[in-house]
Amino acid sequence: MTPFTAIEDVLDGCCEGKQIGVRGWIYRKRKGKDIVFLVTRDATGTIQCTVRKDTTSWADAEKVTIESSVTLSGTVKRDERAPGGFEVSVDQLKIVGLAETFPITKDQSEEFRRNVRHLWIRSRRMNAIMKVRGETLRLVHDFFRKEGFAEVSPPMFISSACEGGATLFGLKYFDKDLYLTQSAQLHLEALIQSLEKVYCVAPSFRAEKSRTIRHLAEYWHVEAEEAFSTMDDLMSLEENLVGYVCQNITKQCGKEFKALGAKAKTLAKVKPPFSRITYDEAVERLRKKGSRIKWGEDFGFDEERTLAKEFGPVFVHTYPKKIKAFYCKTYRKKPDLVMSVDLIVPIIGELSTGGAREDDKIELLKRLEEFGLRQEDYEWYIDLRRYGTVPHTGFGLGVERLLAWMLNLENIMDTIPFPRTVRRFYP
Ligand code: ATP
Ligand code: MN
């Protein structure tokens, strides 16, 4: 059997004048009198393949349909008229799986494409997005390894909430009522007392009932936790991670950025340090710009975008206790404020939340009570404060939000192959 060559390599000029094999799917088809043009795609790209009437493959070329799978062999020719500059002059075409009439055609609605997502992921657009997604995850792992963080695997079934009851998915677990995890944070906090610096990339589940362009019911969450660390350490870690991904992704995925019309140059300029402002300063800036936000209120999407427009990626830290979670550590001298920090970026707004975790047992018990949470549900978490507690910080960052920002996509649904929202769980 002829070995198969990746289309990308053919387009890079590896095989001019040579006989090669290609395998893939028919992307476009156009028929002339004595010639059929078959644009064929594989994982790496698309190339024009021509079949002439005087070859034995003519009948199959006439018969083959869009999205049929094929193998073919032929000679690579340089041809300026062909998209990509090369074409394959085919002498043997074999249909592997003849496709029925493919339901996706040009000019169909976004809604329709999402209904046939299992087929739409074959598009060049989704192919490019998924490659950027894969490389982004690789860079995240590279970064944490480089920084000496241990990768850990937290549980998905949990018995007590991390981020508040409103967005918990409940489920039957044998004869018990459990939940799907909203965040690995609490378990990562346990793991730092063994490994000191830990991270994970795992799904989080949130029953987000309102439909927005930046919320999914299932998303992938990059989370890290570090023992003996300060708020400054935390912000440096986050900006170094984001800077590392932004700079390297534009190098590694230049083709994909181009295909998606995303601005690689702007992204390559994202470099630490990012601006750092307090919640108080942010409120003041926003009010100066005409916002009606009052001290003590949380920022909405509009406010976040206003801030990001002014500062670029920006850390907003030191929040009123009331709008943050029970585990946030209070400033001992200003107990109404907590050591919490949001990273806010253009396009998508909040990219991550992090902070110092309450590490004192008595304070934590007070916080649980304020939040109306039952101590018995959190005994194991309180244990972490009983046995060798340490000051520590950590954060959680949404992979899909990171991608939507980097690729300038207007909906986070396009950053994941099979998005899950309140209305969408098929295919
Ligand atoms: P928001 O206020 O924007 O709903 P959040 O403050 O509830 O987000 P966190 O609990 O701080 O979210 O979660 C950490 C990160 O996970 C967020 O900064 C965001 O990047 C991401 N994230 C949170 N919820 C979702 C979701 N439903 N879909 C996708 N990403 C999410
Ligand atoms: Mn948050």
Side-chain angles (χ1 to χ4, degrees):
M1 203 170 79
T2 334
F4 296 100
T5 306
I7 289 174
E8 181 177 51
D9 295 340
V10 182
L11 296 175
D12 280 345
C14 74
C15 315
E16 194 179 344
K18 290 199 186 118
Q19 175 84 11
I20 60 156
V22 169
R23 60 181 171 190
W25 292 261
I26 301 299
Y27 183 61
R28 275 199 204 105
K29 176 175 175 176
R30 185 163 59 83
K31 193 169 173 277
K33 202 156 74 72
D34 305 318
I35 190 165
V36 175
F37 296 94
L38 299 173
V39 178
T40 305
R41 65 170 180 87
D42 68 4
T44 68
T46 63
I47 193 162
Q48 175 168 297
C49 305
T50 54
V51 184
R52 282 167 208 287
K53 203 171 184 173
D54 54 10
T55 60
T56 51
S57 296
W58 179 252
D60 276 342
E62 280 197 301
K63 185 168 116 187
V64 76
T65 48
I66 298 291
E67 287 304 321
S68 293
S69 46
V70 298
T71 59
L72 57 85
S73 60
T75 313
V76 178
K77 292 187 175 152
R78 191 182 280 278
D79 186 337
E80 295 312 323
R81 291 163 303 174
F86 288 95
E87 67 166 31
V88 180
S89 176
V90 178
D91 35 57
Q92 257 196 342
L93 170 72
K94 189 166 161 261
I95 300 175
V96 177
L98 185 67
E100 297 176 23
T101 307
F102 198 61
I104 299 177
T105 55
K106 261 193 179 161
D107 306 324
Q108 276 160 331
S109 68
E110 201 63 31
E111 174 73 10
F112 177 79
R113 288 171 183 172
R114 289 192 181 129
N115 291 339
V116 292
R117 191 65 163 220
H118 54 302
L119 303 175
W120 177 241
I121 49 175
R122 304 176 181 200
S123 62
R124 301 321 294 164
R125 180 178 162 79
M126 286 305 293
N127 174 286
I129 293 174
M130 290 185 296
K131 281 180 186 162
V132 176
R133 184 183 173 101
E135 283 307 308
T136 298
L137 292 173
R138 190 204 304 270
L139 288 168
V140 167
H141 288 287
D142 285 353
F143 174 82
F144 280 115
R145 297 238 158 94
K146 198 166 63 70
E147 295 292 321
F149 279 68
E151 181 176 3
V152 294
S153 309
M156 301 290 111
F157 290 126
I158 50 145
S159 54
S160 40
C162 180
E163 293 303 325
T167 62
L168 271 179
F169 277 110
L171 60 91
K172 261 278 171 280
Y173 182 82
F174 305 103
D175 58 350
K176 298 274 188 312
D177 291 313
L178 288 195
Y179 311 103
L180 285 174
T181 188
Q182 299 164 303
S183 160
Q185 180 197 316
L186 306 189
H187 291 89
L188 296 192
E189 286 184 65
L191 284 156
I192 56 165
Q193 288 173 326
S194 174
L195 294 161
E196 294 186 32
K197 295 157 99 175
V198 300
Y199 83 99
C200 66
V201 182
S204 279
F205 304 90
R206 303 210 181 174
E208 309 275 4
K209 283 173 202 99
S210 58
R211 277 198 275 145
T212 81
I213 58 159
R214 57 179 196 161
H215 289 93
L216 294 164
E218 175 184 85
Y219 72 96
W220 285 73
H221 208 168
V222 175
E223 293 183 90
E225 208 66 33
E226 184 175 4
F228 303 106
S229 62
T230 64
M231 287 290 280
D232 273 339
D233 296 335
L234 172 68
M235 287 186 263
S236 302
L237 179 69
E238 284 196 56
E239 67 193 2
N240 287 335
L241 168 68
V242 172
Y244 181 80
V245 173
C246 288
Q247 279 153 51
N248 286 291
I249 198 74
T250 53
K251 281 184 219 149
Q252 287 174 25
C253 294
K255 273 187 199 165
E256 286 73 26
F257 269 73
K258 210 168 156 204
L260 294 165
K263 292 191 185 115
K265 270 197 193 138
T266 325
L267 203 59
K269 286 194 201 119
V270 173
K271 281 188 187 143
F274 299 162
S275 305
R276 298 179 183 188
I277 61 172
T278 62
Y279 169 87
D280 287 7
E281 285 163 346
V283 169
E284 200 178 308
R285 291 305 301 172
L286 288 166
R287 290 187 62 90
K288 275 201 184 124
K289 293 194 172 259
S291 161
R292 295 213 174 142
I293 189 157
K294 293 198 207 69
W295 194 94
E297 290 173 351
D298 205 356
F299 304 129
F301 196 13
D302 288 340
E303 279 106 16
E304 289 173 5
R305 286 211 281 204
T306 307
L307 290 170
K309 206 167 181 185
E310 176 169 356
F311 295 99
V314 54
F315 287 112
V316 181
H317 62 88
T318 309
Y319 280 84
K321 174 169 91 166
K322 289 218 167 67
I323 54 175
K324 291 289 176 183
F326 77 90
Y327 49 72
C328 294
K329 183 170 178 175
T330 53
Y331 287 91
R332 300 303 190 235
K333 290 187 182 142
K334 292 182 185 164
D336 285 336
L337 297 177
V338 287
M339 299 178 199
S340 182
V341 54
D342 279 13
L343 176 55
I344 292 169
V345 298
I347 298 162
I348 204 77
E350 179 186 321
L351 180 63
S352 79
T353 295
R357 322 306 192 182
E358 185 50 73
D359 49 53
D360 179 81
K361 188 185 83 179
I362 305 296
E363 291 296 326
L364 181 61
L365 292 174
K366 274 199 254 167
R367 301 301 313 277
L368 286 168
E369 198 177 326
E370 280 168 23
F371 275 76
L373 297 167
R374 294 190 310 186
Q375 183 178 330
E376 65 208 71
D377 292 338
Y378 292 88
E379 271 316 324
W380 73 265
Y381 187 66
I382 301 162
D383 269 355
L384 309 179
R385 281 72 187 161
R386 289 191 179 107
Y387 308 113
T389 190
V390 280
H392 61 287
T393 65
F395 71 92
L397 176 153
V399 171
E400 292 74 19
R401 288 199 190 173
L402 175 62
L403 286 164
W405 169 47
M406 292 194 309
L407 291 172
N408 198 2
L409 302 176
E410 61 209 35
N411 196 321
I412 180 173
M413 276 211 257
D414 291 338
T415 64
I416 187 162
F418 297 102
R420 296 293 183 245
T421 66
V422 65
R423 285 192 315 132
R424 206 166 277 289
F425 37 82
Y426 175 99

